[in-house]
């Protein structure tokens, strides 16, 4: 490929990274808000959070992108740029999956920890911030890592809006060179490299968060049991 075509691909990589970061931040915020709401003591809050989760988990991300980009503008009289339309659609969709990760991790915390917070007269927010989240967040990292990789691959869907992401740029290069195998091999390798780096970063974050959590207590030296000394008479000294 010529330098100009490589420059087009690199611009697509930058757009993909921008979209990934923005949609991941939105998805993370939605995940924690909705996931915590799923554990709320009020049934109406749990119902609304569950309704949101089921709606966005049960719809196609591609159709959601179409809906946000093509349906919302006529309905409300404004137009979203492709980057923000893709961020909104992907963030809300993958945030629904993330909310189940948060809910499951919070539910997996030992009930005795919650009872201890109640015994200490902690408010619900204090129990969540000081007891539940510090123990639940490290357990969320592996599934969140998988979800982040899925989100990276989902960013290719925004090419249907004409957004110049990696997939769209790769298709333009393919049309220019009339060479599919070489171009799409490069695109696959670029996605793999980005996913590999994300996996390394998330694994390092997991180790850092788990440091100091659930450490095995130090073993004390075993006390040696000495056999009582006896006399020839048969009595202990």
């Amino acid at each position: 490929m010529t330098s100009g075509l490589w420059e087009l691909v690199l611009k697509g990589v930058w757009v993909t990274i921008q979209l990934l970061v923005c949609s991941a931040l939105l998805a993370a915020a939605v995940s924690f808000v909705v996931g915590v709401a799923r554990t709320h003591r009020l049934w109406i809050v749990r119902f609304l959070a569950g309704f949101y989760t089921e709606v966005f988990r049960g719809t196609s991300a591609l159709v959601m992108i179409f809906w946000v980009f093509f349906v919302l503008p006529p309905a409300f009289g404004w137009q979203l740029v492709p980057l923000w339309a893709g961020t909104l659609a992907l963030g809300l969709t993958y945030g629904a999956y993330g909310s189940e990760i948060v809910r499951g991790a919070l539910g997996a915390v030992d009930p005795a920890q919650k009872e201890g917070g109640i015994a200490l007269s902690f408010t619900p927010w204090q129990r969540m911030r000081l007891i539940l989240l510090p123990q639940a967040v490290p357990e969320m990292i592996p599934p969140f890592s998988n979800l982040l990789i899925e989100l990276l691959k989902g960013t290719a869907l925004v090419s249907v809006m004409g957004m110049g992401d990696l997939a769209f740029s790769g298709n333009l290069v393919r049309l220019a060179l009339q060479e599919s195998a070489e171009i799409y091999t490069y695109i696959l390798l670029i996605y793999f490299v980005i996913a590999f780096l994300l996996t390394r970063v998330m694994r390092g974050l997991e180790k850092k968060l788990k440091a100091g959590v659930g450490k095995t207590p130090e073993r004390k030296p075993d006390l040696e049991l000495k056999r009582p000394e006896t006399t020839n008479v048969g009595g202990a000294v």
Side-chain angles (χ1 to χ4, degrees):
M1 288 195 302
T2 64
S3 60
L5 293 179
W6 273 116
E7 183 179 353
L8 180 62
V9 172
L10 292 178
K11 287 182 179 179
V13 173
W14 173 238
V15 171
T16 294
I17 292 175
Q18 285 182 294
L19 178 61
L20 175 65
V21 172
C22 293
S23 55
L25 291 175
L26 177 59
V30 171
S31 297
F32 278 93
V33 171
V34 178
V36 171
R38 294 290 303 273
T39 65
H40 201 275
R41 64 180 183 276
L42 295 178
W43 72 268
I44 186 63
V45 177
R46 296 196 305 271
F47 172 79
L48 293 175
F51 179 76
Y52 162 82
T53 301
E54 294 303 325
V55 168
F56 279 87
R57 283 197 311 173
T59 54
S60 168
L62 179 60
V63 176
M64 188 60 64
I65 290 174
F66 282 136
W67 199 86
V68 171
F69 192 65
F70 295 109
V71 177
L72 284 181
F76 295 95
W78 41 262
Q79 179 69 52
L80 286 173
V81 297
L83 176 62
W84 297 121
T87 296
L88 185 61
L90 293 175
L92 293 177
T93 299
Y94 285 88
Y97 291 98
S99 66
E100 283 297 285
I101 296 175
V102 174
R103 183 191 64 82
L106 291 175
V109 176
D110 190 347
Q113 300 290 328
K114 306 174 187 178
E115 296 170 0
I118 296 174
L120 293 173
S121 300
F122 284 179
T123 64
W125 168 241
Q126 287 176 321
R127 293 198 300 270
M128 181 65 65
R129 181 171 59 90
L130 300 175
I131 298 176
L132 299 181
L133 285 178
Q135 298 182 63
V137 168
E139 304 303 323
M140 300 177 193
I141 299 302
F144 266 135
S145 179
N146 291 333
L147 190 61
L148 185 60
I149 302 303
E150 290 297 324
L151 177 57
L152 169 64
K153 294 185 286 186
T155 57
L157 297 174
V158 301
S159 60
V160 300
M161 298 185 295
M163 186 174 174
D165 71 313
L166 179 56
F168 186 82
S169 300
N171 189 51
L172 291 181
V173 174
R174 181 189 68 84
L175 293 174
L177 297 179
Q178 293 298 312
E179 179 63 46
S180 299
E182 179 184 359
I183 302 306
Y184 285 129
T185 300
Y186 287 145
I187 300 302
L188 285 176
L189 288 176
I190 293 173
Y191 274 114
F192 173 76
V193 170
I194 298 174
F196 181 80
L197 293 176
L198 289 175
T199 303
R200 297 295 100 184
V201 170
M202 294 297 287
R203 187 165 297 179
L205 180 61
E206 179 185 2
K207 290 181 180 179
K208 184 176 180 180
L209 290 176
K210 284 189 174 180
V213 177
K215 281 187 175 180
T216 304
E218 297 181 1
R219 292 187 60 187
K220 295 182 179 180
D222 296 334
L223 298 177
E224 296 182 0
L225 297 178
K226 294 184 178 180
R227 185 178 179 181
E229 298 179 3
T230 58
T231 64
N232 293 332
V233 180
V237 176

